[in-house]
Amino acid sequence: MASLQLCDGYLLFKPSVSPRLLSQRISHRLIPKASASPPPSPSPSSSSSSSSLSFSRRELLYQSAAVSLSLSSIVGPVKEAKADEQLSEWERVFLPIDPGVVLLDIAFVPDEPSRGFLLGTRQTLLETKDGGNTWNPRSIPSAEEEDFNYRFNSISFKGKQGWIIGKPAILLYTADAGENWDRIPLSSQLPGDMVFIKATGDKSAEMVTDEGAIYVTSNKGYNWKAAIQETVSATLNRTVSSGISGASYYTGTFSAVNRSPDGRYVAVSSRGNFFLTWEPGQPYWQPHNRAVARRIQNMGWRADGGLWLLVRGGGLYLSKGTGITEDFEEVPVQSRGFGILDVGYRSEEEAWAAGGSGILLRTRNGGKSWNRDKAADNIAANLYAVKFVDDKKGFVLGNDGVLLRYVG
């Protein structure tokens, strides 16, 4: 049951009155104030039953038009709303965390595909046991003993063995799919902050710091061996005269680092004025000039082994061919002027890009063209990371605790 009520010149919708009573109230309550007076009535000397009937009909038509207009503004275009819902390949998952949390990484247990963990700032650690539909907070006593508010940066699993790293320096290890987490002591001489970890085998992992140090362990993290002979700063001190533009302005840290499935790395300098690569067996990071005018926002690996590159201001570039190169070409994207922050590949042909103000873009032809998905248009958040576990399970991570789950 519903009724319409006039309030300060506007029509309000109230679910309280039957349709029969609504029709009885039309002549009294549905005309906007700006035109609430009916048309002028005839003088008493000239009034007649026919003119009264004519007036009543005109008034009824006038009021019926007002009702129709008001109902249109209240109910809205139903077909358009359904179309917007059909465009979306994502749904938002609401999390039991503070709104100010920035989500940073997500991983699932290969041996238990429905079980996963979600990391973020403010010591955020959530667990799911239903494939990511619902999440619950997890506490790790060994991480709560000290008066620190950890930022958990990266998580990775191999089988049931998993690793978590964070800032201030903290390393956690599990051998039972996350039921229990042990804190592993770390050297205070570790160069830089840990930003990435990759589980590689039994009690084995590979870890990267924001100063370019790469370490590997094979005994649950109690001993680490350097996989590279020097930090990026030392490399640039030797190669600053080799023609790398912007190397002399390097401040000593990465702003982004990404690993390919076969163990190659690409990293972006903190100022975004050049990038670096490393392949297993190389003694040093290899610096590269950026081939674009604008500074680099982020870089990563395509499904075919090539590189993608994002620049500040919303540009997207793809490397020509596969492998490491400095030759890129721009791909037109509809970013609405907002920066694109990450790209994640669902398959070799399909990928998703995410960025500021809820931007979501999709390609179905390997990146040659991109179309905007309106899934997150109404979410006031920046989307920082796109993570696909497989072709059916994907997530987009953002600030203010925003998590989107792939349902396409």
Side-chain angles (χ1 to χ4, degrees), residues 123 138-146 181 183:
Q123 207 156 315
R138 273 294 304 269
S139 61
I140 300 177
S142 60
E144 298 173 353
E145 296 173 354
E146 302 174 4
W181 292 88
R183 184 167 181 176

Side-chain angles (χ1 to χ4, degrees), residues 25 143 145 175 386:
R25 295 186 179 184
E145 296 173 354
V386 183

Side-chain angles (χ1 to χ4, degrees), residues 305-370:
L307 290 166
W308 53 260
L309 182 151
L310 305 175
V311 297
R312 298 176 187 180
L316 189 155
Y317 293 76
L318 300 178
S319 64
K320 296 181 180 180
T322 60
I324 297 171
T325 179
E326 295 181 9
D327 193 6
F328 288 79
E329 58 183 355
E330 186 172 10
V331 179
V333 292
Q334 303 171 1
S335 65
R336 298 188 298 164
F338 296 100
I340 304 174
L341 304 176
D342 194 27
V343 176
Y345 276 77
R346 179 171 172 263
S347 66
E348 188 164 326
E349 294 298 317
E350 182 177 338
W352 290 82
S357 192
I359 285 292
L360 273 177
L361 304 167
R362 175 175 61 180
T363 179
R364 288 178 170 176
N365 54 16
K368 295 176 183 178
S369 61
W370 297 76

Side-chain angles (χ1 to χ4, degrees), residues 27 31-43 51-66:
S27 63
I31 304 177
K33 283 185 177 179
S35 50
S37 300
S41 60
S43 63
S51 62
S52 298
L53 180 59
S54 176
F55 168 76
S56 299
R57 288 174 178 170
R58 287 197 305 269
E59 183 183 7
L60 182 58
L61 289 172
Y62 179 76
Q63 293 166 351
S64 298

Side-chain angles (χ1 to χ4, degrees), residues 245 272-273 290-296 309 311-312 317 330:
S245 178
N273 43 12
R290 72 179 192 272
V292 296
R294 285 180 287 176
R295 298 199 174 191
I296 305 171
L309 182 151
V311 297
R312 298 176 187 180
Y317 293 76
E330 186 172 10

Side-chain angles (χ1 to χ4, degrees), residues 41-52:
S41 60
S43 63
S45 59
S46 61
S47 61
S48 66
S49 60
S50 61
S51 62
S52 298

Side-chain angles (χ1 to χ4, degrees), residues 103-118:
L103 303 178
L104 298 174
D105 202 8
I106 190 171
F108 283 77
V109 182
D111 289 1
E112 299 180 25
S114 296
R115 188 174 197 173
F117 293 85
L118 180 63

